[in-house]
Amino acid sequence: MGQAAATNIYLMGMMGSGKTTLGRLLAEELGSPFADTDEWIEARANCSIAGIFRDHGEAHFRDLETTTLLELSQQRGWVISLGGGAVLRPINRQLIQAGGYSIYLKVQPETILTRLPEHPYRPLLMGRDRNERLILIEKLLAAREPYYLQADCVIENDRTPEEALEQILQKLRDVGLK
């Protein structure tokens, strides 16, 4: 497991794609440390993501995201769940590509909507009805998916966490990371 111990595994995808849930399960299975970039940002800022968006704007949040990713990319052998928009910045994509193995957790917009019905902690979805949320999710996915598809592998995650975890573990075995 020498190569796996030296490689970070990055989980990327839309909000509600299962990055945090699967990240925790994967880290436990691999015996690796786990980090969720959104949780790190909230802990360091002593403020929720929604609060950061509200008080400082999305650009400030994206700056904090890059700073967090810079810090985490210095670690080795971690499982790291990225915020849904982390792939928007070229520097973030470079850090992900240079620092490890990336997995895109692909889900259908309807699945995201089901998983995040009226989630109060998702600033991009707040104050919108169901149809507006679906349209926004589709728009965000269209803008982000070209970057998500640059991942080392794609896992369809319109399934249970256990099924998705097994598929991830198989991919990692296939490339010698498990």
Side-chain angles (χ1 to χ4, degrees):
M1 188 148 156
Q3 188 179 358
T7 302
N8 289 334
I9 297 170
Y10 294 94
L11 300 178
M12 64 177 69
M14 288 290 293
M15 60 186 121
S17 64
K19 299 179 302 282
T20 301
T21 299
L22 284 169
R24 289 187 201 290
L25 292 170
L26 182 59
E28 184 178 321
E29 179 72 27
L30 298 176
S32 299
F34 171 73
D36 177 292
T37 58
D38 286 349
E39 290 175 0
W40 276 52
I41 291 166
E42 287 180 335
R44 291 207 161 80
N46 197 28
C47 184
S48 69
I49 301 298
I52 294 169
F53 266 71
R54 181 189 65 240
D55 298 341
H56 305 286
E58 184 175 357
H60 179 71
F61 170 76
R62 298 294 173 205
D63 290 342
L64 295 173
E65 191 170 54
T66 297
T67 300
T68 299
L69 190 53
L70 277 164
E71 181 181 342
L72 289 170
S73 69
Q74 301 305 308
Q75 306 303 319
R76 292 292 170 257
W78 285 49
V79 174
I80 301 168
S81 294
L82 302 168
V87 297
L88 295 173
R89 285 193 171 175
I91 182 69
N92 294 351
R93 294 192 304 272
Q94 291 166 1
L95 289 166
I96 294 162
Q97 185 176 38
Y101 186 80
S102 57
I103 300 169
Y104 167 32
L105 299 177
K106 182 179 175 92
V107 294
Q108 297 304 312
E110 295 78 13
T111 301
I112 295 169
L113 196 59
T114 300
R115 290 179 180 173
L116 305 173
E118 291 184 39
H119 205 293
Y121 305 110
R122 305 291 180 167
L124 294 176
L125 297 180
M126 288 172 51
R128 302 175 192 275
D129 68 25
R130 185 183 194 287
N131 193 49
E132 290 172 325
R133 288 194 310 273
L134 182 59
I135 291 168
L136 179 60
I137 289 166
E138 290 169 340
K139 181 179 165 187
L140 290 171
L141 183 58
R144 295 172 179 181
E145 191 161 51
Y147 302 118
Y148 293 150
L149 289 171
Q150 293 174 19
D152 294 305
C153 83
V154 177
I155 299 292
E156 297 281 342
N157 193 27
D158 293 299
R159 61 187 72 216
T160 69
E162 295 76 19
E163 291 169 322
L165 177 63
E166 187 48 47
Q167 192 175 8
I168 291 169
L169 291 170
Q170 185 57 54
K171 291 278 188 183
L172 294 177
R173 285 190 286 272
D174 291 348
V175 297
L177 292 176
K178 171 142 178 33

